[in-house]
Every structure is written in C-alpha cells, then in structure tokens.
Amino acid sequence: QVRVVESGGGLVQAGGSLRLTCAVSGGTFSRYTMGWFRQAPGKEREFVAAIAWSGGRTFYADSAKGRFTISRDNAKNTVYLQMNSLKPEDTAIYRCGRSFGNLYDPQEYDYWGQGAQVTVSS
C-alpha cells in the first residue's frame, strides 16, 4: 500500500519562505510523476507544481513560477516544494499526490497525502 505524508507547513509572514516535504512509502516511487496541488477555503483545488519521475522535467502553475521550486530525491522517496516570496494568496492546504496520467488533472492522481496547511500573513 502506498502512503503519502506531507510535512513542513506553517505560518509565515508575507515575503517569507517555507519548504514542504512529501514522503512516500510503498509502491515504486521513482517511476511516477509527483505533483503538488493546493486548495484555499471556498476555492477549487488548483495545480501548483509537478516533477517527472527522473526529476529532469518540472512543471509549474503561473502563480508558482519564479517563486516555487519542486524537486525530488528518489533515493529517499521524497518530493520537496520550496516556496519563496510567499504571499497571503498562497494560503491554502497543500497536498502531494502521485500521478498516473495528466499531471495537471487531480483526477489522474491515485494517492494523496493528508495535506499541509500553509498560512501567509500580511
């Protein structure tokens, strides 16, 4: 059974940084694209970033480009999301998932973590 666990969320002031970690156990981690989505209260879940199985290709939402960096360590079965220059509008629950298809479509992710709360104060 695959298990996904996020950590690293918290409260930060605008302009600050946080690094989210997504640890995966079970399955064959290195074969899958991994992605981060977020959902703010009253809003739909939105794509943030994804990274291909090899780590050689990364994908970002426009809102994340230039501020967020996704990376992975296949030896540790871990994905990271470094978030810099955080804004209040980045406040959301961030969830990490394993993709089996279209990395932009949350319906094509088969395993998810419970989520990490990120709160950015102004």
Side-chain angles (χ1 to χ4, degrees):
Q1 182 70 13
V2 176
R3 184 166 181 243
V4 181
V5 179
E6 300 97 338
S7 61
L11 173 64
V12 65
Q13 288 188 332
S17 298
L18 282 174
R19 187 175 82 156
L20 300 181
T21 298
C22 171
V24 182
S25 59
T28 308
F29 175 80
S30 61
R31 293 182 182 178
Y32 292 90
T33 292
M34 298 294 297
W36 288 94
F37 284 73
R38 68 186 183 186
Q39 188 165 18
K43 295 187 177 181
E44 292 189 356
R45 182 167 40 180
E46 64 173 347
F47 171 79
V48 176
I51 185 165
W53 66 272
S54 66
R57 294 189 67 190
T58 55
F59 309 84
Y60 296 94
D62 287 345
S63 59
K65 287 178 182 176
R67 300 188 300 126
F68 295 3
T69 302
I70 189 171
S71 61
R72 67 190 293 162
D73 184 339
N74 286 345
K76 296 182 178 180
N77 286 7
T78 302
V79 179
Y80 305 98
L81 184 68
Q82 177 67 42
M83 304 185 293
N84 299 328
S85 302
L86 282 161
K87 305 174 182 179
E89 51 263 44
D90 293 317
T91 295
I93 295 175
Y94 286 70
R95 297 182 72 189
C96 174
R98 189 181 82 169
S99 174
F100 61 86
N102 182 350
L103 60 90
Y104 296 103
D105 184 355
Q107 300 300 320
E108 298 201 1
Y109 283 68
D110 53 3
Y111 291 99
W112 292 95
Q114 80 290 349
Q117 175 70 49
V118 171
T119 303
V120 185
S121 63
S122 58

